[in-house]
Amino acid sequence: MSWQAYVDDHLMCEIEGNHLSAAAILGHDGSIWAQSASFPQVKPEEVTGIINDFNEPGTLAPTGLHIGGTKYMVIQGESGVVIRGKKGPGGVTIKKTGMALIIGIYDEPMTPGFLVCFGGK
C-alpha cells in the first residue's frame, strides 16, 4: 500500500458519519510523503517546532502549535507520542512514529477521541 492510499483510505476514512478535514504523513525532516488535497502547506519551522515538542514536551505550549500558518492551542496529549491542538470548534492531532509524523485536522462534530483511524480501521 502506498502512503497516499493510507492517507486516502485510512486517515480520511469516515467515522460514525464524520471524517477529517485534512490529513498528511510527513517525514521528520518535513518532507511530505502523502497528503489530502485539503492539507495546508506546512512551513519547515512548523515541523521543527513539532519535532522539538516531541523531544522536549511542553515547548509548544507558550507559543502554540502552528500548521500551515494556523495557530492551535496545545491541549492534552501523550507526552512524546501524541500532540493535540485546538482551534475554535476543530483541532489537530499529531502522532509521531519512528520515521514520520501522522497529522489529522478535524472540525466539529468530530473530537480528538474519534481519531481512531490513526491506529487503522
Side-chain angles (χ1 to χ4, degrees):
M1 173 186 297
S2 73
W3 291 120
Q4 189 61 52
Y6 187 82
V7 167
D8 296 339
D9 299 339
H10 294 281
L11 298 181
M12 296 300 290
C13 66
E14 186 173 309
I15 305 170
E16 296 182 17
N18 300 300
H19 58 83
L20 294 173
S21 55
I25 301 173
L26 281 64
H28 289 179
D29 63 356
S31 61
I32 299 189
W33 294 7
Q35 65 183 6
S36 64
S38 56
F39 195 79
Q41 184 172 351
V42 179
K43 300 172 185 170
E45 60 270 20
E46 294 171 338
V47 175
T48 299
I50 292 166
I51 292 294
N52 288 344
D53 196 77
F54 276 116
N55 295 333
E56 295 179 42
T59 57
L60 285 177
T63 60
L65 163 65
H66 292 81
I67 300 201
T70 300
K71 181 179 178 178
Y72 296 86
M73 178 179 65
V74 178
I75 58 174
Q76 94 290 347
E78 294 177 52
S79 187
V81 179
V82 174
I83 298 171
R84 290 189 174 99
K86 183 82 173 142
K87 179 174 175 58
V92 61
T93 297
I94 305 170
K95 168 80 172 149
K96 182 182 178 192
T97 70
M99 299 186 328
L101 300 173
I102 303 172
I103 303 172
I105 299 173
Y106 61 91
D107 292 309
E108 277 188 337
M110 186 171 262
T111 64
F114 278 106
L115 299 180
V116 295
C117 275
F118 283 174
K121 281 171 131 179

